[in-house]
Amino acid sequence: MKYHRFVCIACTLVFLLACTLPAAAGAGAQPSCDIPMENTQWTSYTNANWINDIAFDQNGYLWAATSGGAVRWDVGAGTYMKYTSEYGLCSNQLSAIAVAPDGAIWFASKDNGISKLKDCAFTNYTVSDGMPSNVVNDLSVAPDGTVWVATDWDICSFDGQSWTTYRDTPIKQMETNADFIVADPDGNIWCGAHFYGVFRLSEAGWTHYDEPEDISSMVYSMALGADGSVWASMMDASLVHYGGGKAEIVQLDTGGMPYIKCICVQEDGAMWFMNWSDVICVKGGQWETFYNDYGVTIDTTCIIEGPDGTIWCGGFMGGLAGYKDGEWTVLQTDDWLPDNTVSKIVADETGGHWILSATAITYFDGETAQVYPTNWKAMDLLIAPDGGVWASLGKNGVYRFNGTQWVFYGPGDTQDGFLDNSPGAFLGELESILGEEFDFMFGEEGAAFGGDFFGDFDEGGEAVLVEPTQMGPGIETDPWYTSIEMTPDGRLLCVSVMETVHSLYDGKWSVYQAQSDSVSDVLISQQGAYWISCSEGLYRSTDGRNYTFYPEIIDPDNRIYHFGSLYVTPDEVCWIASLSGVGCQPAGGDSFCFRKGDGIPEENVACVTGAPDGTIWIGTSYMMTSESGAGACRYDGGAWQTITASDGLASNAVHDICAGTEAIWYGTHGGISVYRPH
């Protein structure tokens, strides 16, 4: 059984390695059938050690649904096959797995419906086939073969021919959705809703099990016991057993465990639980706890019993681990990408790529990868005109790669290598952009930051106020940067989400307090103009003194809002990604925008860029950082073309696009996709 995350977990990678590009199969792996690659122009780079769900098929193979594709393990041989979107899988970003009575294996995705693997081929189902949503939380197969699916909108079922959506349910009446769905041996359908407990659908209709007031109704996990009864764990570590048509709270000393994430109940009554990285077995009133000594690294997500009685568990980052007779077996894929949430890809002059993901910055030259863990801190990546590589680690400040390691440039305490602090963001220095008009927008230099002044500590521990021009190593500013840019004269521009603007030039920092809404991006065009996007509009300056303000795109009733990243064409046309579509502002002409219905499939645009052939590319991702989206789009000046996971894209949540002459690289929530048209 599996567990759903409701919060973002910050985890620590503890490696720095170089590795070679892996094959799709582990050494010596023999597939039960040869699944052909359908999309041969696509290549996925993923990490399949981020496990969301696991199940054994009828042939005894252990399957893992991961955020980097589907993996089939031969546990005896320790070998595997990995299947990604190139093979016809609905998406690399999988959330659940279930095995049907006829041997078919069903996969749920977080962004592109579900897949059925049968007779060595994938068949996909999405909203175009009758599903209410492409975002699937869980799925289960009933004894009669009916597939039951819990989406982020409604529950639906598939009988092999058609889809049925259940909209008038007590779950929907509470304006929520099901996070878990379990079909028991009698054909009853059990659902766990986020804050509203457990629901059952039987021949008599729906039953809502209203949990006692003294326990939580937030369901953390659900599972079938060996006898076919249903178990659920709640947020407060309460354990509820549903059998005989009634709910029974199991009085169990959890040993101080804050909550139970995963459950496995064996036929002999042994109960296995998972809590973060600990595995606990309770049998005959006796506890045995395994404190992460089995190889699965942090944040475990699922636990099941194998055909031979082995207990298998999976987790984020660590792969799979099995326990039997006092011994642990660890299974991990040999993937070089550290995680599958890729937010930035930048190509260098040699054809290599710098990749920013949730847990690391990686350099990949096409054959080998060098991984630099950032501990969930990196926010932006930049290759300067002189070839230097810069990175912002949000609250941790900015770093420059010297060819061997990342050197810290401030603000804050001097330290080489990446720091361990909260994530943040970064943007740009605007004094050189607006010159004398700078005070009009951003106020006077040296204004208070977030209610506090920048300060250092003297030897006695007392705070000493400093001038912003003196800010540098030793000054703790808590800037929370979001984006960076480099001027032609070597000024590093960093803008904070806290409405302050920082610049690093010749080893010195300058700080300004913004009076307007916070800046989201700054970009220098090929003609040397500065484009600045703010939440209230768009600015452009050519001489550092005079500027043009574009307060809205189109008109007040049809405007682009929440401006995000920018791209400026060689002929000085600025494209703006936003939460309400993509806007276009020529330097000397009228603006226009594209919304859903104007050729793009989704208005939540996460990124915009251009290709050498002059085409414009955008990536969509709901709320900018979500796990779901509507794919990528290409604009040739006349019409938009949409590319989705059904075409071979790793995920429909696209965070960045790096368009070259030979290939298009996509940074998604399901890893990296590379499209080579030739």
Side-chain angles (χ1 to χ4, degrees):
M1 92 36 73
K2 67 171 187 172
Y3 152 80
H4 284 186
R5 281 192 306 174
F6 298 122
V7 295
C8 180
I9 308 298
C11 307
T12 303
L13 288 176
V14 293
F15 60 88
L16 177 59
L17 63 140
C19 54
T20 58
L21 179 66
Q30 298 296 321
S32 56
C33 62
D34 185 15
I35 300 176
M37 183 178 291
E38 294 185 1
N39 303 304
T40 57
Q41 294 176 308
W42 290 86
T43 301
S44 285
Y45 299 115
T46 71
N47 189 315
N49 292 313
W50 293 69
I51 313 295
N52 288 310
D53 201 9
I54 52 179
F56 278 89
D57 68 14
Q58 294 180 353
N59 296 317
Y61 290 108
L62 176 58
W63 287 84
T66 82
S67 63
V71 180
R72 193 216 66 192
W73 281 96
D74 182 332
V75 296
T79 56
Y80 67 91
M81 292 291 296
K82 184 169 79 170
Y83 302 102
T84 49
S85 55
E86 304 98 295
Y87 291 87
L89 186 66
C90 61
S91 170
N92 290 347
Q93 200 184 171
L94 302 178
S95 55
I97 184 173
V99 179
D102 64 354
I105 305 170
W106 292 82
F107 300 93
S109 80
K110 298 179 181 179
D111 63 343
N112 199 41
I114 65 176
S115 286
K116 178 181 72 171
L117 177 60
K118 179 72 172 175
D119 299 328
C120 303
F122 288 105
T123 302
N124 299 330
Y125 302 91
T126 65
V127 291
S128 61
D129 300 297
M131 292 182 60
S133 171
N134 283 334
V135 181
V136 180
N137 297 327
D138 199 6
L139 84 170
S140 184
V141 184
D144 64 358
T146 300
V147 180
W148 289 84
V149 180
T151 77
D152 66 339
W153 282 99
D154 296 294
I155 296 168
C156 58
S157 65
F158 182 65
D159 62 6
Q161 299 295 324
S162 61
W163 288 90
T164 301
T165 298
Y166 300 83
R167 291 190 170 90
D168 187 20
T169 68
I171 300 175
K172 201 65 178 179
Q173 291 168 7
M174 293 182 177
E175 298 182 351
T176 186
N177 56 268
D179 296 297
F180 304 94
I181 192 163
V182 176
D184 70 19
D186 296 326
N188 299 308
I189 307 303
W190 298 78
C191 301
H194 192 53
F195 286 107
Y196 296 96
V198 173
F199 301 78
R200 184 187 67 168
L201 175 61
S202 65
E203 293 182 352
W206 286 94
T207 301
H208 179 206
Y209 291 86
D210 192 10
E211 313 302 346
E213 293 182 358
D214 56 343
I215 72 169
S216 170
S217 60
M218 180 175 176
V219 183
Y220 247 50
S221 64
M222 293 184 70
L224 278 178
D227 61 356
S229 59
V230 175
W231 295 77
S233 67
M234 304 303 178
M235 184 179 180
D236 60 359
S238 300
L239 189 64
V240 184
H241 179 226
Y242 302 89
K246 63 180 181 179
E248 177 187 5
I249 300 175
V250 178
Q251 300 297 331
L252 190 66
D253 180 7
T254 59
M257 184 187 301
Y259 53 81
I260 298 170
K261 292 177 60 176
C262 310
I263 313 168
C264 177
V265 183
Q266 296 180 282
E267 188 172 358
D268 63 0
M271 305 180 71
W272 292 78
F273 307 104
M274 300 187 73
N275 175 34
W276 293 100
S277 57
D278 298 334
V279 175
I280 298 96
C281 178
V282 183
K283 185 176 182 180
Q286 299 297 313
W287 281 74
E288 184 175 8
T289 303
F290 304 91
Y291 294 102
N292 198 22
D293 56 0
Y294 47 88
V296 174
T297 307
I298 299 181
D299 201 10
T300 44
T301 57
C302 49
I303 185 168
I304 64 171
E305 181 181 9
D308 64 350
T310 301
I311 297 297
W312 288 93
C313 51
F316 296 120
M317 304 171 62
L320 298 166
Y323 178 79
K324 186 179 182 182
D325 299 331
E327 299 290 334
W328 285 95
T329 300
V330 177
L331 303 176
Q332 294 179 326
T333 58
D334 53 347
D335 297 312
W336 61 263
L337 188 67
D339 65 85
N340 299 304
T341 305
V342 179
S343 57
K344 190 83 171 183
I345 303 176
V346 183
D348 65 13
E349 293 182 350
T350 69
H353 290 81
W354 286 93
I355 300 156
L356 190 156
S357 62
T359 62
I361 294 175
T362 303
Y363 182 72
F364 181 56
D365 63 9
E367 294 183 359
T368 61
Q370 190 75 25
V371 179
Y372 303 93
T374 60
N375 205 22
W376 298 76
K377 308 308 178 225
M379 300 299 296
D380 200 7
L381 200 60
L382 166 73
I383 297 181
D386 64 358
V389 182
W390 290 81
S392 165
L393 269 67
K395 182 179 178 180
N396 293 353
V398 292
Y399 290 75
R400 186 180 189 275
F401 186 65
N402 66 5
T404 304
Q405 65 177 341
W406 290 89
V407 180
F408 179 64
Y409 275 75
D413 295 331
T414 303
Q415 180 174 336
D416 292 340
F418 292 135
L419 301 179
D420 182 12
N421 258 323
S422 301
F426 43 97
L427 241 114
E429 139 71 88
L430 303 182
E431 180 183 21
S432 61
I433 301 173
L434 301 178
E436 293 178 352
E437 304 295 335
F438 190 85
D439 286 349
F440 173 78
M441 289 178 58
F442 298 99
E444 297 180 358
E445 183 174 349
F449 171 80
D452 298 319
F453 288 93
F454 296 107
D456 199 358
F457 289 93
D458 63 15
E459 294 181 357
E462 296 294 327
V464 179
L465 296 181
V466 298
E467 294 294 328
T469 53
Q470 298 174 355
M471 188 180 69
I475 308 301
E476 177 58 46
T477 64
D478 195 21
W480 287 69
Y481 296 138
T482 55
S483 165
I484 50 176
E485 176 68 304
M486 183 72 73
T487 66
D489 64 352
R491 247 178 229 277
L492 182 67
L493 313 180
C494 306
V495 173
S496 167
V497 296
M498 302 302 292
E499 300 182 5
T500 53
V501 181
H502 298 180
S503 84
L504 173 63
Y505 182 68
D506 195 23
K508 295 182 179 180
W509 284 92
S510 298
V511 185
Y512 302 85
Q513 177 71 37
Q515 292 180 346
S516 65
D517 288 345
S518 58
V519 181
S520 58
D521 199 10
V522 60
L523 191 67
I524 302 172
S525 70
Q526 294 184 18
Q527 298 184 17
Y530 294 79
W531 291 84
I532 310 105
S533 67
C534 306
S535 59
E536 79 275 15
L538 186 68
Y539 292 87
R540 178 178 182 268
S541 174
T542 58
D543 60 6
R545 292 183 177 274
N546 301 300
Y547 66 93
T548 302
F549 175 54
Y550 306 96
E552 55 196 32
I553 305 299
I554 299 297
D555 59 63
D557 296 326
N558 191 29
R559 63 176 292 188
I560 290 288
Y561 62 95
H562 294 301
F563 285 8
S565 64
L566 304 175
Y567 170 73
V568 182
T569 66
D571 58 350
E572 207 69 11
V573 177
C574 184
W575 289 81
I576 311 104
S578 83
L579 296 180
S580 56
V582 58
C584 180
Q585 177 64 65
D590 295 331
S591 61
F592 57 92
C593 67
F594 295 92
R595 298 178 180 276
K596 190 173 182 179
D598 298 327
I600 64 174
E602 170 57 45
E603 293 186 354
N604 288 273
V605 179
C607 62
V608 59
T609 190
D613 63 1
T615 56
I616 300 297
W617 290 79
I618 65 171
T620 67
S621 176
Y622 301 145
M623 299 308 295
M624 296 298 197
T625 57
S626 153
E627 298 171 330
S628 58
C633 298
R634 175 184 181 270
Y635 183 64
D636 61 6
W640 289 93
Q641 175 193 3
T642 300
I643 301 99
T644 69
S646 298
D647 300 306
L649 195 61
S651 167
N652 283 337
V654 180
H655 304 308
D656 195 33
I657 301 174
C658 180
T661 56
E662 301 295 327
I664 309 294
W665 288 62
Y666 302 85
T668 81
H669 220 84
I672 297 171
S673 280
V674 182
Y675 177 74
R676 297 179 175 88
H678 306 296

